[in-house]
Amino acid sequence: MLPEQKQRVSALIEQALAGIGAAGVPVTLERPKVEAHGDLACNVALQAAKGLKKNPREVATAIADALRVNPAAAGLIDAVEIAGPGFINLRIAPAAKQQVVREILRERQCFGTSSAQAGRKVMVEFVSANPTGPLHLGHARQAALGDALANVLAAQGWQVTREFYYNDAGVQIDTLAKAVQLRVRQLQGQAINEEDVGYRGEYIVDIARAFVARETQAARDGTPVTASGNVDDLENIRRFAVAYLRHEQDTDLSAFGVKFDNFYLESSLYSDGKVAAAVQAMVGSGMTFEADGALWLKTTEIVDVGGFGGPPADDKDRVMRKSDGSFTYFVPDVAYHVTKFERGFAKVINVQGGDHYGTVARVRAGLQAAGKALGVQVPTGYPDYLLHKMVRVMRAGSEVKMSKRAGSFVTLRDLLDWVGRDAVRFFLASRKADTEFVFDVDLALAKSEDNPVYYVQYAHARICSVLAQAAEKFGAAAALDEAQALNVDLSPLVAPKEQALLQRLAGWPEVVAVAAEELAPHQVAFYLKEVGADFHAFYNAERVLVEEAGLRAARLALLLATRQIIRNGLALLGVSAPERM
């Protein structure tokens, strides 16, 4: 049911509780798992019974009686039933359920959005791939989850910034440059030791060919980088290879429909003195010490990094600066997140692979230490993390483990070539992030109800087809648009499958709100599959294009509302809503 209707029901139950001397007992309303149990279920009688020293069923009966005689419940609550030890099951009046159609048609793409977080800034950092190769399956899942999450947050009023962090400094970039250099030597006829090639795959050969051809690529800041063609010019090779792969990654992300508001270079943290400043701040906090020629952070003494108290950040102290003078992985991350906070992002969400789990507490601990020295109150539990598990790809019944182009892993581009953007985005966003996911290529191509994206998109296309048929069969006047449907009498929508679909549509605002609160964009995909199932069940049970004009118009209005909800949901996932399939 609509959020405001749910609030009214809660208020009526609270009023009934006050009438029996149980004011203040919290009321929770849930949708029963079994449809036969009604539209809403409430266990408040079991909670109130203890304080009242009465039997829960007796308390439930008193609440039910109060609801039945309350005139404010008329037209909202159709029936109240007591079940089990004292559960209260409510059936919502058909007219109240029908109201959602008008709400959807009035608000259209805005239905389900909220201004609850208006004026608040949030950064979602995702993908953040090293510029050392094509985007792999992990990056693909991050792109799907991160972009959908950003859309969901924006739907709740957040001012969202999407950021991509380039790890363009460190050992991996040196390894890339040397790998390309060796392939250039090979192209020039020189013998090389394959064991010395740190990065494999055809893409390294492609970069080497482009370098020999003296092509030009644009660096992240737009500066052109022209290959010198000189195999001994390792610095030019490095800069060209990074620019080349940056362009490749941008091309793939564009094909995936993902755009970023900002790109942040790890190298700038060093050149701008941000890493040095962060290290100095952590030292100044008194939470570091030196031993064995290295600088350590006392992560075992920093608590509450999760934002809810609890044990220390780590089971042992961690090295910040190694004896050779280089920094460990989490130190530039601390510096980077200091910049996020300084840029005004009090809320930051990082979408990363599960292999980052071990650095979460260290980054948070480093931020607590740095913030203490800088006199900045960095929130505990800052930043938030959405960590995802690995993706496996199945094709023709076998696992696909490598790409011809990448050499050792399946790429985002492979998936796009095999099944297209819509299927990749829907599938990768359709599972909870912390669960492993098997991407079945054959299923993603199947035109059946087992393929969730096809099932949902087909529901949208079928609605479009029925609306077109209405005009063909009954004339232009029968082809309702959203504005005309606002004036339709919806009272004929009382069949069980109609009522179930109405109830499902009304739940959309809550789905979006919960998905944003729990950082769980997969709930949007789950919900869309449920809408598809309820729509197809309704369509198979009831004829839409009936001769009776009033009933036909009401059902067409229901279809228009359903189509709008599907469009709204698919838009959050970055998936198209085709009118024909």
Side-chain angles (χ1 to χ4, degrees):
M1 63 191 311
L2 291 167
E4 56 269 26
Q5 293 175 331
K6 197 171 183 180
Q7 291 171 5
R8 285 175 56 197
V9 172
S10 292
L12 290 169
I13 296 176
E14 290 169 357
Q15 184 179 345
L17 285 166
I20 60 173
V25 178
V27 176
T28 301
L29 297 172
E30 297 180 342
R31 184 168 181 172
K33 294 181 180 180
V34 180
E35 187 175 332
H37 292 170
D39 301 309
L40 290 174
C42 183
N43 66 354
V44 71
L46 283 74
Q47 300 175 44
K50 188 174 182 180
L52 294 172
K53 297 181 180 180
K54 293 183 178 181
N55 182 282
R57 280 191 68 93
E58 181 183 351
V59 176
T61 300
I63 294 172
D65 289 343
L67 291 174
R68 293 186 184 109
V69 299
N70 192 330
L76 178 62
I77 299 176
D78 206 38
V80 187
E81 301 166 356
I82 310 301
F87 292 103
I88 301 172
N89 292 332
L90 306 168
R91 296 187 185 278
I92 304 305
K97 291 182 182 179
Q98 293 157 5
Q99 185 179 333
V100 68
V101 173
R102 265 185 253 285
E103 294 289 330
I104 295 171
L105 297 179
R106 184 181 298 113
E107 298 182 27
R108 302 187 66 180
Q109 69 269 23
C110 294
F111 183 78
T113 63
S114 168
S115 59
Q117 305 298 335
R120 300 185 65 191
K121 293 172 61 175
V122 60
M123 176 191 288
V124 182
E125 183 217 327
F126 59 107
V127 182
S128 295
N130 295 341
T132 55
L135 299 176
H136 56 57
L137 291 177
H139 300 135
R141 193 172 191 187
Q142 288 174 38
L145 288 170
D147 201 45
L149 177 59
N151 289 336
V152 167
L153 292 169
Q156 291 299 292
W158 287 95
Q159 182 182 334
V160 181
T161 293
R162 293 166 168 84
E163 185 154 292
F164 188 123
Y165 176 61
Y166 267 110
N167 296 107
D168 63 336
V171 175
Q172 74 274 9
I173 301 300
D174 294 336
T175 303
L176 169 68
K178 291 173 183 176
V180 174
Q181 185 182 50
L182 286 171
R183 292 304 184 200
V184 172
R185 293 190 189 283
Q186 190 176 49
L187 290 174
Q188 293 177 341
Q190 299 180 43
I192 66 169
N193 184 353
E194 288 291 337
E195 296 299 320
D196 294 334
V197 183
Y199 288 107
R200 304 298 177 89
E202 189 64 27
Y203 75 95
I204 296 294
V205 179
D206 291 341
I207 299 171
R209 290 195 183 103
F211 183 81
V212 171
R214 304 191 178 190
E215 293 182 5
T216 298
Q217 294 287 346
R220 170 49 58 201
D221 61 3
T223 304
V225 179
T226 301
S228 67
N230 180 0
V231 70
D232 295 319
D233 190 351
L234 188 60
E235 175 59 20
N236 181 250
I237 291 175
R238 184 192 68 79
R239 292 180 59 244
F240 179 79
V242 168
Y244 183 101
L245 287 169
R246 177 208 64 76
H247 174 73
E248 289 280 294
Q249 291 179 357
D250 284 358
T251 299
D252 289 352
L253 289 169
S254 177
F256 202 38
V258 175
K259 296 181 180 179
F260 288 88
D261 301 299
N262 193 44
F263 293 86
Y264 200 101
L265 304 181
E266 180 189 3
S267 57
S268 72
L269 294 171
Y270 294 92
S271 62
D272 294 345
K274 299 291 187 182
V275 172
V279 171
Q280 184 178 359
M282 285 186 275
V283 171
S285 72
M287 300 305 296
T288 65
F289 66 95
E290 294 202 31
D292 302 323
L295 179 65
W296 300 68
L297 180 66
K298 299 177 183 178
T299 51
T300 56
E301 296 183 16
I302 301 175
V303 299
D304 201 27
V305 295
F308 44 80
D314 219 336
D315 58 350
K316 62 181 180 179
D317 296 327
R318 297 291 173 172
V319 173
M320 294 171 51
R321 186 181 62 229
K322 294 180 282 188
S323 57
D324 63 4
S326 63
F327 294 108
T328 53
Y329 183 85
F330 80 92
V331 174
D333 266 12
V334 171
Y336 174 43
H337 285 86
V338 169
T339 74
K340 290 182 178 181
F341 193 74
E342 290 175 339
R343 284 183 278 161
F345 293 102
K347 186 171 182 64
V348 167
I349 303 163
N350 296 339
V351 183
Q352 297 176 328
D355 56 331
H356 286 76
Y357 179 82
T359 66
V360 172
R362 293 168 215 167
V363 171
R364 287 175 172 172
L367 283 167
Q368 293 299 308
K372 177 181 177 182
L374 294 170
V376 176
Q377 186 62 48
V378 179
T380 54
Y382 181 93
D384 288 316
Y385 286 85
L386 180 62
L387 301 179
H388 69 83
K389 290 192 176 179
M390 66 178 293
V391 180
R392 296 167 51 221
V393 177
M394 299 294 292
R395 193 178 189 190
S398 301
E399 184 174 356
V400 183
K401 294 188 176 181
M402 65 179 58
S403 159
K404 178 180 179 181
R405 184 167 177 275
S408 58
F409 54 85
V410 176
T411 68
L412 168 59
R413 188 176 300 180
D414 291 329
L415 292 183
L416 292 174
D417 288 344
W418 292 338
V419 303
R421 177 199 295 183
D422 284 349
V424 178
R425 290 195 64 140
F426 194 101
F427 272 52
L428 292 180
S430 67
R431 293 288 189 278
K432 194 175 180 182
D434 62 1
T435 60
E436 291 190 7
F437 178 60
V438 177
F439 192 107
D440 189 328
V441 172
D442 299 317
L443 177 61
L445 292 171
K447 295 182 178 181
S448 72
E449 64 180 36
D450 295 325
N451 178 352
V453 66
Y454 176 83
Y455 191 59
V456 173
Q457 288 181 320
Y458 182 64
H460 182 272
R462 172 174 269 182
I463 291 171
C464 293
S465 175
V466 173
L467 293 170
Q469 291 173 34
E472 294 174 4
K473 185 173 182 179
F474 298 100
L480 297 177
D481 60 21
E482 286 79 2
Q484 294 168 327
L486 280 171
N487 300 315
V488 167
D489 176 15
L490 301 172
S491 61
L493 299 178
V494 293
K497 299 302 181 183
E498 291 169 336
Q499 290 279 295
L501 180 55
L502 288 165
Q503 182 82 334
R504 184 74 65 189
L505 298 182
W508 174 237
E510 185 175 357
V511 169
V512 181
V514 172
E517 176 67 24
E518 298 182 357
L519 310 184
H522 70 278
Q523 294 190 14
V524 173
F526 280 12
Y527 172 80
L528 287 174
K529 288 186 283 185
E530 291 170 340
V531 170
D534 285 341
F535 164 72
H536 289 299
F538 152 70
Y539 186 82
N540 292 331
E542 308 292 341
R543 287 184 58 222
V544 175
L545 301 182
V546 295
E547 293 296 330
E548 203 280 295
L551 178 58
R552 181 176 70 245
R555 287 177 174 168
L556 288 173
L558 175 57
L559 260 60
L560 283 166
T562 304
R563 183 176 70 172
Q564 187 65 59
I565 290 296
I566 294 174
R567 285 179 176 175
N568 292 357
L570 289 175
L572 292 187
L573 298 179
V575 176
S576 69
E579 296 188 1
R580 294 182 180 84
M581 293 183 70

